[in-house]
Structures are given as C-alpha cells and as structure tokens.
Amino acid sequence: MEIYLDANATTPVLPQARDAALSVMADAFGNPSSIHGSGLKARARLDEVRAIARRVLGAPAGRLLFTSGATEGIQTAVLSALTDLRRRRDAGQAIPPRLLFGATEHKAVPEALKHWNALLGLGLDVEAIPVGLDGRHDLAWLRANAPSAGLVCTMAANNETGVISDLDGIADALRGSGALWLVDGVQALGKLPLQLGERAIDYAPFSGHKLYAPKGIGMLYVREGTPFTPLLAGGGQEGALRSGTENMAGIAALGAVLDALERGGVFASLGELLDRRQRLADALRQAFPGVVFNAPFELSLPTTLNVSVPGLGAKLLLDLFDAAGLRVSGGSACGAAKAAPSYVLQAMGLPAWQAASAVRLSFGAADTEATIQEACRRLRACGEALRATCQIPAPDETPQSPELLTRFTVDGACCYVVADAASRRCAVIDPLPELTGTLAQWMRCRGLTLVAILDTHSHGDHASSAQALRDAIPEGLAQEARVESVDALGWPREAEVIALGMHRLSRLATPGHTEDAVAYLLHAGGDLVASFVGDTVMPGALGRSDFAQSAPSAFGASLKTLERNVGPEGLLLSGHDYDDRFATTLAIECAAQPLLDGVLKGRFSADAFAMEKATLERDLAPTEYQTMACGARIDCARAAERVELDVEALQAMLGQGDGPKPVLVDVREAYEARLSPTSELAPEPVPLSVLINALPRWRALPADTPVVFFCRSGNRSAQAARALRRLGHGQAWSLAGGLALWPTAQPASHFDAFAI
Ligand code: PLP
C-alpha cells in the first residue's frame, strides 16, 4: 500500500471536495452567467466560495479571482505589474530598472518575469534576491535594492524546504520603495495565517491542488488599487478580469476544502503537525544515522522535511523509499544518470553534496495518524534494508558473499571492484574520490582484504583517490597494496600478476590516451573473463589523445596489442560509460567506429590513425556533466531502440505454452528487493551494479530466448535490455513502466486506505 509523502507536489482530493465537485457536475451544472434558475444556483455557489476564500485569506477587500492554478495567477500578476510599468514609461516617466525575485522562488516566477519582460519590450534587469543559509531572504540586500525595483516577488513558503519567509520583515524592507509586491502563497495556503488585507501585498496567487482540491483551480488576490491587466479576455466572466466560463466543479471542490479549513475537524492542528514532523525526523535519524536536515525546523512549515544523507545519493534514496511504498520526491529533478543539484539548496549556500542528494518528504494536514505511524515504520525498515545489504554500517554485520565484478559509477565515470569470494581478496580499479566512503563500507561489510588499488592511467580530470581509499580502510589493506609497495598506478612492484584466489589480474601497456595507460586483464584459470581498458576504448568512443600526457602516435599500436590479447569478442569494461552501455567488445566498437575498424584491419597506419583522430578531437566539448570529455565521441548513441514490453505483452509471453521460456531478471538493488519482493514473478535478482557478471551468460543463450528485465520504473531495466541487445542478444526486453505498473490490488483512494 502506498504512503504518499509528496504533498508539496500535489495532494489527493479530499472526499468532501470530490463530493462537492460531483454534486456540481450532477445537479448544479449551470453556467453562472446564465440568468435562469440553473445559472443563478451556480452563481450563488460561486459567490459563496469566494466569500469563504476571502475569510480564509483575511482579504475582505481587493479582487479575488478564480484561476486555473498558481501559474496562471503568477502570469496575471506579472503581466499586470509590467503593463503598468510600460504605461508609465510610455508616458515619459522614469521607471525603476529592475525586477527582483527570491533566489529560491518556484520557477514559475522568474520564468514569468523574463517572459513578460521580453514580450512587453521592457528590457528590465531580472535579478535574484539572495537568501541566507536558513533559506530566508537577505533583508538588508532587499532594503538597499528595492528602491530600484518595479516589482518584487517573494514566496510565502518554499516548496522544496518549507522555509517560511519573513513577510513582515520584507514588508518593512519594501516600505517607501514604490515597488509592487507579489507573494506566491501556494505552499502557505491553509498552513499559515496570511491575513492578506493587513499586509501591503499587491498580488498573491494560490493553487487548489496543493490543498486537497483538484488540479485546474486556483485563486489570485489583487489588492485594492493595485494595477491589473486581464490575461484572458473574452466573455467578461469574473467581472471581465478573467474571461472564460468558470470551472464550477473545481470552485465547488476548493470551496469544500476552504470550508473544512474554516470549520475545523478535518485538518490536524499545528501542535499535531509539529509532533508528526518530530516523529518522522526521529524515524529518519534512526534509519540513517548522520542524516542532515536542510532547513531549520523553527523557520519551516511543519509538513516539509528536506534531508540529505552522507554517502547516499538522491537516486538511491528515491529508489529505496519507492520500494518501501513511500512516495517522496527528489529535492531536485532527477535524470536517469545524474541528479541535477537543487537550485534552492544551492542558493542557500549548502555544500554541493547536500544540494545534489536532497530528498523531500512532505505530508498533508489531512493525513491520518495511522499514515504517519506507518510512514515512520517504513522509514525504519528502509534503514534496516540498507544495513542488511551492506550499504550502511550495521552493528552485527555478517560478511556477505561478493559477486566477482561490481561496478560503481559517478556521472559516467566507472570504478570496478574485482572480488574473489573464496579467498576474500579484492582489487579496486579506477577508484573515484566520490566513492571512497562507499567502497570502504562495501569492502568492510563483505570482510574483504584489499590487495590492489589500480588506476588504468593517470587521469586528466581528477587525482587518483587510491591513497584516500587506503586511509579509509587501514584494517583491510594488504601489505602489497601499501603505497611503498606499488608503482604510480598502484601495481605491486616486480609482480607479474595479482592473484585473487583462482582469479588473476595481469596488465598490458596500452599507451595512447595517456603515456602510462594500461589495460588489466582478468583471468579465471585459463579463461579471459573481462578486460579493464580504462579510456582506451569506451562504448561508442576512443579515449581522446590530445592531452599533454597523451601518446597519440602510440595509440594505433596499442589497439592492435589489445586485439591480440583480448580478441574481437572479449568483454571490455571501460573507464567511462556515458550512455549506460555497461560493456562492449572490439567487434561491436569496430562496427560503430570506422577509425578503430580502419586501424585494426590495417587500412590506417599508426600515423594516419593519429592524424585522423586529432581531427576528430579538435574543439572537443565538455561532456553533459561539464567534466572533461575523456572520449573522442565517434558514434552518437543510436536512436534508442524500443525494448519495452507492456504488461499485456509480458503476460502473453509468460502464458505461452510453446516457445522458449523467458528468463526474468530483477535489476533492482538488493535493498529495494528486500522491501518489495516480486515473489509472484520470481525473477532472478541481478542488480544493475553487478549486471556485468551475467552479460556473458545471457549472450550465450539461444537467440530466441527472451530475457525480460524489471525494475521500479522501467528506466534501469531498459538500460539493461539495451546493453544486452547491443552485445548481440536481440530478445532482450524491459517491462515498460516497471513494477510500478504491474497490476497489484490497490485501494480505490488515498483516503480509503487510511480513513480520515
Ligand atoms: N509556486 C509554488 C511555490 C509551487 O510549489 C507551485 C507548484 O509546484 C507553483 C507555484 C505552480 O503551481 P501550479 O502548478 O498550480 O500552477
């Protein structure tokens, strides 16, 4: 059952609101502009809701219009203020040169300012008001700069952090400045006593769906005498301030919510909300020792918690919570490969890791006590799942058996751990500074001895973090991995091979990307298992060789050496994998990269190859992560091949009596699978981090055997399916929409699950 903790994004619709909307649609469907009985009934309802709204907002005077939501209210307010500035300018008056908005404002505000500023041809400077570490506006800055501003926008409470603005302090800083003042009241509605009429606020937009009304209804308050320009012209509804037939179902629903607010009994009191936040915070502290709260509780809405956990990225936490049925959101927008840091937390000046790994839990004032209790229980269960799977330290760790190969990635850069389960000896290849803590915990929990920390080359964009890793796990470091025993890339001096139980690592010089580049070849007995080729060959690219430390003329010969030693089909594991392709082979890369094919087939001499490559590398742009591109991009990712199977297609595949039985694979990490097992499908668990171990096995399956990957949302499983297809298995599939769309019995509504 789902526990919804994302109320700042949107809320479920309150049963009273749903009933009010349905009753309007069924019985009182009239158009409030009609003068017959049906219309008059609708008009009466409209007036009644406006009257309740005025009372709730403390706005007996001024305009109060119904809109489609806050974004429309913001546009209307900005258009109104800027049209007035243009009128003044056109009348020959000097107008203030700037438009100011809080640095943590919802994007709707700065984007509207820029849009209308450009469209109206005003050309004013649109500037952010700085905020402090506590998320509050810098009032001294505002006081000094407000006199040069035509419009100042400051939200009442922040959607990511819950930080409540000091509206009285802002009013004071604006006094006498002449600036118009817009307050985005979206997150404050029903949570803070705004008393709009008592403040010098000119415009205040609101959104119904943040407070248990449906999407598509909002309000805009405009102070008496404040400039106004309609955004929508037409039939003259809302006193010609906002044309368009009114959304009566939405208005009635919003009315029911505001009525419930006014009457009491539905929403929890401030004291109860504070107590619930405290319990959630305690559960988070228990689950994740070291958790950091990104906004001060005493200045924030009690319903919002914004947290970061050292060593645990936002993506991991979101996957974990989702597996536990806790719906939360990233404090930032999360891409599949990289979470963009939160601009709100960045503006507050929080450390980069906190801004990049923030997660927001926001509950609603109509949530039940049972919901909060269950949320706390599941948060603790999340902590347990992480402890049980070695992600965070546990008091009674029993060593877990490692897979042979584990891959860790940071923004497209790859680090590998080779671990021999029998001897408990392991080697790390291309350690990344961001991973030091994670790797140390990972090895400690598996009772591994670290016998080598190897770099495939001296990196252009970061120093090796080998020493930091040695320092992080002194008790697990073998003598031969100590700094005095190894060369600059971490290879034990005078050793021919590194033995890891029955596995052996040997090295091969492959100068090109850098003068010192090497490949590490992993053998089990006489068989080559995989080759760690650093940035010499990457999926879709060859390592660039235009750095000061590169050896471009040696590159061609190195590729031939590599081919002699690993063959066209040997599995290559690269130092970078910008497109989540996991592994490649020389045969696959030759098909995609004419330059590589040319040098291996003898069409290019080493010199001609170096010249062609230098041409490709001219003006190489940074990667999308704004780090240095380590690969000379040669083949663009192929138009993404469709690998998705929808639920019906998979059910049909599973139901087929004839044909080969599909192999089902759950690529979620172990901590997710613990929280929500997929027992009914009984797939083989192969988390994405250890996927490379199974690739050779699946490649060897008969061509018509389907391999179907699952994950939470269909993202990671699609990566796995594409990787396997690229390696030649055409029957690799991903469950579209992930387990989130797999049919399970769900209650009809949020409120049925946890009755109010
Ligand atoms: N302002 C704030 C503070 C918000 O949180 C949101 C929604 O996320 C908006 C404005 C936009 O509201 P709507 O989606 O209703 O237009």
Side-chain angles (χ1 to χ4, degrees), residues 150-164:
L151 174 63
V152 171
C153 308
T154 57
M155 64 200 333
N158 185 270
N159 44 306
E160 282 192 26
T161 58
V163 168
I164 300 167

Side-chain angles (χ1 to χ4, degrees), residues 8 69-72 74 106 108 155 157 159 184 186-187 207 209-210:
N8 288 9
T71 302
E72 183 192 323
I74 292 166
H106 187 279
M155 64 200 333
N159 44 306
D184 174 344
V186 169
Q187 298 293 343
S207 185
H209 74 97
K210 309 282 183 175

Side-chain angles (χ1 to χ4, degrees), residues 318-578:
L318 292 180
D319 287 337
L320 176 74
F321 288 156
D322 213 73
L326 291 166
R327 307 295 181 235
V328 307
S329 77
S332 53
C334 284
K338 180 170 165 83
S342 151
Y343 71 90
V344 169
L345 301 185
Q346 280 180 325
M348 288 164 65
L350 294 185
W353 77 266
Q354 252 167 282
S357 57
V359 166
R360 176 186 74 188
L361 290 73
S362 51
F363 57 98
D367 281 335
T368 60
E369 181 52 33
T371 303
I372 302 297
Q373 269 179 25
E374 178 62 11
C376 291
R377 191 193 67 73
R378 291 193 197 181
L379 286 173
R380 291 193 189 93
C382 286
E384 284 312 310
L386 290 186
R387 271 181 269 279
T389 54
C390 277
Q391 293 289 322
I392 54 177
D396 53 349
E397 272 169 5
T398 40
Q400 301 210 344
S401 191
E403 293 283 342
L404 178 61
L405 300 171
T406 304
R407 178 174 105 143
F408 297 84
T409 58
V410 178
D411 299 346
C414 305
C415 159
Y416 302 89
V417 181
V418 185
D420 178 71
S423 64
R424 298 262 160 198
R425 285 162 65 82
C426 75
V428 173
I429 294 167
D430 284 334
L432 294 164
E434 295 85 347
L435 293 173
T436 300
T438 305
L439 289 171
Q441 163 61 17
W442 191 93
M443 289 184 276
R444 203 173 285 133
C445 183
R446 287 168 177 79
L448 296 170
T449 302
L450 180 56
V451 299
I453 309 170
L454 305 171
D455 281 288
T456 52
H457 57 287
S458 44
H459 303 277
D461 57 353
H462 66 268
S464 166
S465 57
Q467 192 51 44
L469 190 54
R470 285 186 194 101
D471 294 343
I473 111 153
E475 76 288 357
L477 194 69
Q479 182 62 40
E480 60 264 44
R482 292 184 196 281
V483 66
E484 60 279 10
S485 317
V486 300
D487 69 14
L489 293 181
W491 190 264
R493 283 181 226 284
E494 276 131 53
E496 275 302 309
V497 295
I498 294 172
L500 303 167
M502 59 163 293
H503 296 95
R504 275 179 304 114
L505 277 170
S506 57
R507 82 183 151 158
L508 192 65
T510 52
H513 179 58
T514 63
E515 184 75 61
D516 61 1
V518 292
Y520 298 110
L521 275 45
L522 176 67
H523 282 90
D527 299 331
L528 178 65
V529 178
S531 305
F532 303 91
V533 292
D535 290 348
T536 299
V537 183
M538 287 167 268
L542 291 179
R544 58 193 286 187
S545 43
D546 59 343
F547 302 139
Q549 67 270 43
S550 295
S553 57
F555 210 127
S558 293
L559 291 169
K560 291 185 143 193
T561 309
L562 193 62
E563 189 189 34
R564 270 197 308 281
N565 284 274
V566 308
E569 292 299 333
L571 208 64
L572 306 183
L573 303 176
S574 305
H576 284 88
D577 177 17
Y578 296 112

Side-chain angles (χ1 to χ4, degrees), residues 129-170:
I129 306 161
V131 299
L133 251 187
D134 59 5
R136 283 193 153 184
H137 303 91
D138 181 338
L139 294 184
W141 189 97
L142 184 58
R143 192 182 306 278
N145 290 279
S148 62
L151 174 63
V152 171
C153 308
T154 57
M155 64 200 333
N158 185 270
N159 44 306
E160 282 192 26
T161 58
V163 168
I164 300 167
S165 298
D166 175 5
L167 291 183
D168 292 330
I170 296 170

Side-chain angles (χ1 to χ4, degrees), residues 13-23 25 212 253 256 748-749 751-752:
V13 177
L14 203 65
Q16 294 88 318
R18 195 174 52 191
D19 292 348
L22 286 174
S23 112
M25 288 191 275
Y212 298 100
S749 98
F751 295 105
D752 299 336

Side-chain angles (χ1 to χ4, degrees), residues 171 179-181 196-203 223 226:
L180 291 164
W181 185 19
L196 293 173
E198 293 171 18
R199 293 194 154 111
I201 295 171
D202 290 295
Y203 307 100
R223 195 152 84 114
T226 288

